[in-house]
Structure formats: C-alpha cells, structure tokens
Amino acid sequence: MSDSLAATFAEHGLRRGDRLAVFSDSWCESALALLAALKAGAIACPINPLTAAESLTGLLRAWRARALVTEARLASTADSVRLVVLAGTRGHEPAARCIRFEDAIATRQVVLPPGRAARDIAFILADDRPDAPPAASLVRHQDLLALMAAEPRRGEEDAVITSLRLNGKAGLAQLFAALRDGITLMHSSSGLGDVRPLTPSVASSRPAQSMR
C-alpha cells in the first residue's frame, strides 16, 4: 500500500525535497503516508492531530507544503497546497486537486523515484508544547536510522502496542523499527479497547531497505 501511495505522490508531481504534511486522526493512515513520503523522496511533516484546525493553514504555509494527507472534513483548510489526499470521503465527491485515500493506495504498477541520500531531510517535526516558542526540528535519514538502531530488535512473531504519536521522534523510531523487524505494531489511543494494527504487509516493504 505504501508503495502505491508513494507512486501516487510522484505521479502528481511530488519530487525529492518537496514537503508533505500529514494531519489525521487515523494512526494507520498517518503511518502509511509517512512511509510513502520517504519512498517518494519527500520530506514528511507530521502534525499533531490535536492541533486546532484553524492553525493548520498557517503551518502548511510556514512549511511550504506541496501536498497534504488529511481528513475530508479539513479539506477547506488546505488552500495553499497543490495536492490533497483525503480520508473519510465516503458519500462525498472530492474537489479539484483532491483525491481519495483509498484511490491513492489502489494496486497499480509502481515506479518509485531514486533513493535518498543519508543527509537528506526525512522529517520536519514541530515543537507543539504549549510552553515552548514556535520551533521545528529536522530529522535526516541518517538520524532516523540511528533512532531505529537504538530500538531493541524483535522477532517477526512479536507484536507491540504503542500509544506514541507519530509527530515525535520516539513514535517514529518505534514505527520504523517495527517495520525493520517485520513485527506487528498496534496503536492504542484510548487503552487496550481501541487497538489498530499496522503490519508489514500493509506497509508493503521495510524502510531500512529503501533508505540507502
């Protein structure tokens, strides 16, 4: 799925170094979008899903985002973005420059762009603490590999439940280490009663193989 999503980004003009923002309540869709952004050579900009919708427009402009993955109900906040991939469009026809998430991950002949360099920027992470001044940190591909290396190795039969968000280094490290090891990573936003799995088959391929 992430390979197909990356190909969709490339088909719609996303190039190496372009910035793709992800603002979604869905952990699994966010994870797929972040992985696909890296495969397309883009810089992923995950936004805390608790961020007020009215703040989204300012962030997109500040980051010069070229594309956005978000919920259909938030499409009107993305006027400055050329491509919007929308989740939750059932019963609604996407507007111009918008495509459905389910269409973007549909099976297709996948042609991915060339790989990234180790010093290329992989993520831009906003510091969204209420007591901190507006700031952002850059995570390069070599930094991501170092974060993954610090995570313990696990066997493919293992499963891990996490409550970490994907707009921080800890959450990203856990996600990509799980994909590296081929384990099932499950996200719980409200305790063990609401667990959503992300498996290697959903991700399509492991990122450690594509970040050379």
Side-chain angles (χ1 to χ4, degrees):
M1 289 183 183
S2 62
D3 282 353
S4 295
L5 185 54
T8 296
F9 292 153
E11 288 169 5
H12 285 79
L14 202 67
R15 298 291 179 259
R16 177 174 173 176
D18 286 342
R19 298 174 182 188
L20 181 143
V22 179
F23 182 52
S24 175
D25 292 331
S26 170
W27 190 87
C28 286
E29 287 169 356
S30 295
L32 284 172
L34 295 178
L35 180 55
L38 298 194
K39 290 181 176 183
I43 299 172
C45 305
I47 300 172
N48 189 333
L50 299 180
T51 300
E54 56 268 22
S55 301
L56 180 59
T57 300
L59 277 174
L60 295 176
R61 288 176 178 165
W63 285 346
R64 302 189 302 277
R66 186 181 180 92
L68 170 69
V69 176
T70 191
E71 310 291 334
R73 59 187 174 82
L74 299 173
S76 61
T77 64
D79 293 339
S80 63
V81 177
R82 296 187 183 184
L83 170 66
V84 183
V85 179
L86 298 174
T89 57
R90 184 173 298 176
H92 300 280
E93 185 65 27
R97 73 186 174 83
C98 298
I99 59 176
R100 292 185 176 93
F101 190 90
E102 54 265 35
D103 293 337
I105 61 173
T107 302
R108 68 185 70 208
Q109 182 178 1
V110 175
V111 179
L112 296 178
R116 282 72 58 204
R119 288 192 58 79
D120 282 355
I121 298 171
F123 297 97
I124 298 177
L125 305 178
D127 188 342
D128 52 14
R129 293 174 300 170
D131 58 341
S137 59
L138 305 181
V139 178
R140 301 182 186 277
H141 285 277
Q142 62 189 17
D143 302 327
L144 179 59
L145 291 172
L147 290 170
M148 292 166 57
E151 290 288 313
R153 289 274 182 175
R154 295 183 172 89
E156 292 189 359
E157 71 283 358
D158 291 338
V160 173
I161 297 176
T162 180
S163 60
L164 295 175
R165 297 193 185 109
L166 294 175
N167 63 304
K169 291 181 181 180
L172 291 173
Q174 199 168 53
L175 168 65
F176 284 92
L179 292 171
R180 171 199 66 195
D181 297 339
I183 71 170
T184 297
L185 183 64
M186 298 178 287
H187 183 256
S188 174
S189 58
S190 58
L192 298 182
D194 181 23
V195 176
R196 301 176 183 181
L198 179 73
T199 64
S201 62
V202 171
S204 294
S205 63
R206 300 179 191 176
Q209 299 172 348
S210 61
M211 286 192 289
R212 294 189 292 268

